[in-house]
């Protein structure tokens, strides 16, 4: 029996979460180093998954299958394709930086009426989220995926509601109220989507007689499973609704600005760069593969919703006064691009959407974590409270600028490649949608450059005088992220080589081929 690498990759952070939570209360530093050690070991296993994965091999590799709930046909079934591999690598890459960036975010507060914040619990919850997200990228049993899809809400709820941002303009009581509101809103939105998905999961089992993704796909290919049109559409809507909330897609997005605004900066990165990717990943793995005809039927409406997300999110980002809420609305716009690429039903669009998931994770992590370092120094999230930072903290300002330029998809940085592919893929099939989507690029330049101008340039405000520049720990967090933005900006081939074969399988599922150019190239 071969080593269960996929199980080990997900189990290690779960074991780390338990071990970290069990550290005695007085040994907070030990708990931090333990959490960091487990996250780094998880990254090593994720790297092994990447190394052992063969892009030209079987669709699902490193597979594991064991009986779980035999009476209901539920199996513990795992496997990864190219899309899952790169997202596992992204998750395992970001979590150590999240832990380092949040090194002091759960330390006991001094001179405050707030109750003591359990440091061990903070880092244990982060590791538990990592374990569930990685396993969700590996699950090929629909019911197993559903359990993970819902279970990850629990640690996220406590991370948002119990460990909120300390840079709050109101009293401790007001801050606690805002955190509770954001956490409950996050939980309720996602629980509603999950309950609707549960009904669809049960319906799928009634129709297909199995929860196994591979068995259902094989039955469809052989003609043994032929869903009625209305049944397939209803099941598709049940799955898609839950994924659209998680993504999030307009108009199901309103929980995200509250959650990111009230969470600490590292937890905000965990939300938008890691957890939300489960929604867009599931659209590719489950919606398109299980319900290809319904996916094509719903495509026009989904493209309209994606375009609204792109423009609406960008417009609201332009008008924000809060740094973290600006990044949140920018992420809504970016997720619109991802969903647009998925449902453009072209190989360029879907490859671009998958790369966008990875590159958005890296660029948003870089921007949000530097913003978190900035907010911690000043004690305010309001843009108006800053000015002239580049004169007193030039390294902080420089890294903030690079993160911002990556967010607006500047050529030479990795998000440009993915956004370009999404737009090319969209133009090929839906030129009007492609034209509308390009407005998001212009608006992104506006909100990022205005943010930088208002916070980093101009006269140095009195409160900014003496602000320290980035420390060694903070440079260790930011420097690798910037290096990756530059590397994949000029050489995305390592990612595209893994992703493209998986995209070909997805295109085959929906029986779509790329449109032929209207004008043939000259020979």
């Amino acid at each position: 029996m071969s080593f269960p690498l996929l199980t080990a990759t997900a189990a290690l952070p779960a074991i780390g979460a338990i071990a970290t939570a069990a550290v005695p209360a007085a040994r907070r530093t030990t708990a931090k180093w333990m959490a960091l050690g487990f996250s780094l070991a998880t990254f090593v296993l994720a790297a092994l998954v990447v190394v052992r994965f063969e892009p030209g091999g079987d669709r699902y590799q490193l597979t594991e299958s064991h009986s779980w709930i035999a009476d209901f046909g539920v199996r513990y079934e795992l496997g990864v394709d190219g899309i899952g591999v790169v997202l596992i690598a992204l998750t395992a890459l970001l979590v150590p930086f999240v832990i380092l960036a949040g090194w002091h975010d759960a330390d006991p507060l001094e001179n405050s009426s707030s109750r003591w914040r359990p440091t061990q619990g903070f880092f244990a919850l982060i590791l538990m989220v990592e374990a569930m997200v990685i396993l969700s990228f590996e699950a090929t049993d629909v019911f197993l995926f559903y359990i993970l899809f819902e279970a990850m809400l629990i640690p996220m709820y406590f991370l948002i509601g119990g460990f909120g941002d300390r840079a709050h303009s109101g009293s401790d009581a007001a801050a606690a109220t805002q955190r509770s509101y954001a956490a409950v809103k996050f939980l309720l939105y996602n629980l509603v989507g999950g309950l609707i998905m549960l009904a669809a999961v049960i319906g799928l089992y009634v129709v297909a007689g199995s929860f196994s993704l591979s068995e259902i796909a094989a039955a469809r290919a052989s003609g043994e499973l032929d869903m009625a049109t209305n049944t397939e559409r209803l099941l598709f809507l049940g799955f898609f609704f839950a994924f659209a909330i998680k993504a999030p897609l307009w108009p199901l997005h309103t929980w995200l600005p509250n959650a990111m605004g009230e969470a600490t900066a590292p937890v905000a990165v965990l939300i938008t760069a890691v957890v939300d990717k489960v929604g867009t990943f599931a659209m590719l793995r489950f919606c398109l593969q299980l319900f290809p005809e319904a996916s094509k039927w719903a495509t026009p409406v989904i493209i309209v919703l994606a375009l609204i997300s792109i423009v609406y999110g960008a417009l609201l980002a332009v008008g924000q006064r809060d740094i973290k809420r600006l990044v949140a609305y920018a992420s809504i716009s970016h997720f619109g691009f991802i969903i647009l690429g998925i449902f453009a039903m072209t190989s360029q669009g879907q490859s671009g959407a998958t790369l966008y998931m990875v590159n958005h994770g890296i660029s948003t992590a870089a921007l949000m974590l530097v913003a978190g370092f900035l907010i911690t120094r000043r004690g305010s999230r309001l843009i108006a409270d800053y000015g002239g930072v580049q004169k007193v903290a030039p390294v902080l300002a420089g890294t903030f600028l690079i993160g911002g330029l990556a967010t607006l998809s500047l050529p030479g940085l990795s998000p440009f490649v993915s956004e370009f592919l999404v737009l090319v893929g969209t133009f090929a099939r839906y030129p009007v949608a492609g034209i509308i989507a390009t407005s998001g690029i212009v608006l992104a330049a506006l909100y990022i450059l205005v943010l930088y101008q208002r916070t980093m340039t101009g006269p140095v405000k009195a409160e900014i005088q003496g602000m320290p520049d980035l420390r060694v720990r903070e440079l260790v967090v930011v420097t690798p992220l910037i290096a990756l933005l530059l590397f994949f900006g000029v050489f995305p081939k390592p990612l595209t080589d893994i992703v493209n074969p998986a995209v070909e399988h997805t295109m085959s599922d929906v029986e779509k081929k790329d449109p032929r150019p209207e004008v043939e190239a000259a020979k």
Side-chain angles (χ1 to χ4, degrees), residues 504-517:
E504 291 176 7
H505 286 297
T506 305
M507 291 287 290
S508 176
D509 290 334
V510 293
E511 298 179 348
K512 284 280 190 178
K513 295 182 179 180
D514 291 330
R516 291 178 61 85

Side-chain angles (χ1 to χ4, degrees), residues 394-449:
V395 177
L396 189 155
T399 53
F400 188 83
L401 177 61
I402 295 173
L405 293 176
T407 300
L408 64 81
S409 299
L410 183 77
L413 298 174
S414 60
F416 170 76
V417 178
S418 45
E419 196 164 279
F420 178 78
L421 285 173
V422 167
L423 290 174
V424 167
T426 304
F427 271 114
R429 199 177 294 279
Y430 303 104
V432 174
I435 293 170
I436 296 172
T438 54
S439 64
I441 301 174
V442 178
L443 292 171
L446 179 61
Y447 61 69
I448 288 297
L449 295 179

Side-chain angles (χ1 to χ4, degrees), residues 60-212:
Y60 294 111
Q61 300 178 33
L62 307 176
T63 56
E64 302 173 32
S65 183
H66 308 282
S67 179
W68 182 22
I69 309 175
D71 292 342
F72 296 99
V74 180
R75 300 184 63 81
Y76 176 79
E77 201 168 76
L78 308 180
V80 287
D81 61 0
I83 298 169
V85 165
V86 296
L87 292 178
I88 289 169
L90 172 70
T91 303
L93 169 74
L94 292 182
V95 169
F97 297 130
V98 166
I99 291 173
L100 272 176
W103 201 250
H104 298 298
D105 284 358
D107 287 349
L109 294 169
E110 297 179 1
N111 303 319
S112 173
S113 60
S114 297
R115 63 186 179 87
W116 182 70
R117 295 151 65 97
T119 304
Q120 288 84 338
F122 178 73
F123 293 102
L125 290 169
I126 290 174
L127 289 175
M128 190 55 70
V129 171
E130 179 182 23
M132 292 179 179
V133 169
I134 288 175
L135 199 56
S136 69
F137 291 141
E138 298 171 346
T140 55
D141 183 278
V142 179
F143 191 82
L144 173 61
F145 174 82
Y146 169 76
I147 294 296
L148 297 164
F149 187 82
E150 291 290 88
M152 70 180 67
L153 301 180
I154 299 171
M156 285 306 310
Y157 169 81
F158 287 109
L159 283 170
I160 297 168
F163 301 91
D165 192 352
R166 296 177 180 179
H168 199 285
S169 56
S171 63
D172 287 345
T177 300
Q178 290 295 324
R179 287 199 304 271
S180 297
Y181 172 78
V184 170
K185 189 173 184 180
F186 161 82
L187 188 64
L188 289 179
Y189 264 68
N190 285 276
L191 278 178
V192 169
L195 289 173
I196 293 174
M197 180 183 169
L198 176 60
V201 168
I202 295 171
L204 177 65
Y205 181 74
V206 171
V207 172
S210 174
F211 291 116
S212 171

Side-chain angles (χ1 to χ4, degrees), residues 119-475:
T119 304
Q120 288 84 338
F122 178 73
F123 293 102
L125 290 169
I126 290 174
L127 289 175
M128 190 55 70
V129 171
E130 179 182 23
M132 292 179 179
V133 169
I134 288 175
L135 199 56
S136 69
F137 291 141
E138 298 171 346
T140 55
D141 183 278
V142 179
F143 191 82
L144 173 61
F145 174 82
Y146 169 76
I147 294 296
L148 297 164
F149 187 82
E150 291 290 88
M152 70 180 67
L153 301 180
I154 299 171
M156 285 306 310
Y157 169 81
F158 287 109
L159 283 170
I160 297 168
F163 301 91
D165 192 352
R166 296 177 180 179
H168 199 285
S169 56
S171 63
D172 287 345
T177 300
Q178 290 295 324
R179 287 199 304 271
S180 297
Y181 172 78
V184 170
K185 189 173 184 180
F186 161 82
L187 188 64
L188 289 179
Y189 264 68
N190 285 276
L191 278 178
V192 169
L195 289 173
I196 293 174
M197 180 183 169
L198 176 60
V201 168
I202 295 171
L204 177 65
Y205 181 74
V206 171
V207 172
S210 174
F211 291 116
S212 171
L213 192 62
S214 56
E215 289 181 6
I216 296 172
R220 290 193 69 109
S222 66
E224 295 177 12
L225 174 62
D226 186 16
M227 294 186 195
T229 300
N230 289 337
T231 300
E232 181 175 341
R233 290 177 180 179
L234 287 172
L235 294 177
F236 168 85
L237 291 174
F239 277 79
F240 181 81
F241 183 78
F243 302 153
I245 291 175
K246 184 84 80 180
L249 177 68
W250 184 92
L252 306 171
H253 68 283
T254 60
W255 63 268
L256 183 65
N258 297 100
M260 288 185 66
E262 296 305 321
T264 64
V267 172
V269 169
L270 203 62
I271 295 169
T272 190
V274 176
V275 173
D276 287 356
K277 299 300 188 299
V278 176
T280 46
F281 163 80
M283 292 178 189
L284 281 164
R285 171 165 284 190
F286 296 101
C287 286
L288 298 189
Q289 187 171 349
L290 293 174
F291 316 110
E293 295 304 320
S295 297
K296 290 185 283 189
W297 162 76
T299 288
V301 173
I302 295 173
I303 285 179
V304 170
L305 295 179
L307 291 174
I308 294 174
S309 287
I310 292 170
V311 178
Y312 171 87
L315 284 173
L316 264 66
V318 171
Q320 289 304 305
R321 297 180 296 172
D322 183 308
I323 296 174
K324 290 168 70 178
R325 289 179 70 91
L326 185 151
V327 179
Y329 280 109
S331 291
I332 292 169
S333 181
H334 294 151
F335 275 102
F337 276 106
I338 294 171
I339 296 170
L340 179 66
I342 292 171
F343 285 90
M345 301 292 185
T346 59
S347 58
Q348 299 99 327
Q350 292 187 357
S351 293
T354 305
L355 293 181
Y356 216 128
M357 288 187 242
V358 176
N359 294 326
H360 170 263
I362 299 171
S363 62
T364 299
L367 179 62
M368 179 60 85
L369 292 178
V370 176
F373 299 148
L374 179 68
I375 291 167
T376 299
R377 285 160 166 73
R378 175 65 177 85
S380 173
R381 306 192 316 240
L382 298 179
I383 296 172
D385 288 341
Y386 295 87
V389 173
Q390 68 180 14
K391 296 178 182 177
V392 296
V395 177
L396 189 155
T399 53
F400 188 83
L401 177 61
I402 295 173
L405 293 176
T407 300
L408 64 81
S409 299
L410 183 77
L413 298 174
S414 60
F416 170 76
V417 178
S418 45
E419 196 164 279
F420 178 78
L421 285 173
V422 167
L423 290 174
V424 167
T426 304
F427 271 114
R429 199 177 294 279
Y430 303 104
V432 174
I435 293 170
I436 296 172
T438 54
S439 64
I441 301 174
V442 178
L443 292 171
L446 179 61
Y447 61 69
I448 288 297
L449 295 179
V450 168
L451 171 64
Y452 184 84
Q453 183 266 328
R454 292 178 178 175
T455 56
M456 302 295 165
T457 66
V460 180
K461 292 198 173 185
E463 298 83 357
I464 302 299
Q465 293 283 359
M467 175 181 284
D469 214 333
L470 292 183
R471 302 179 178 92
V472 174
R473 172 179 59 85
E474 296 165 335
L475 284 170

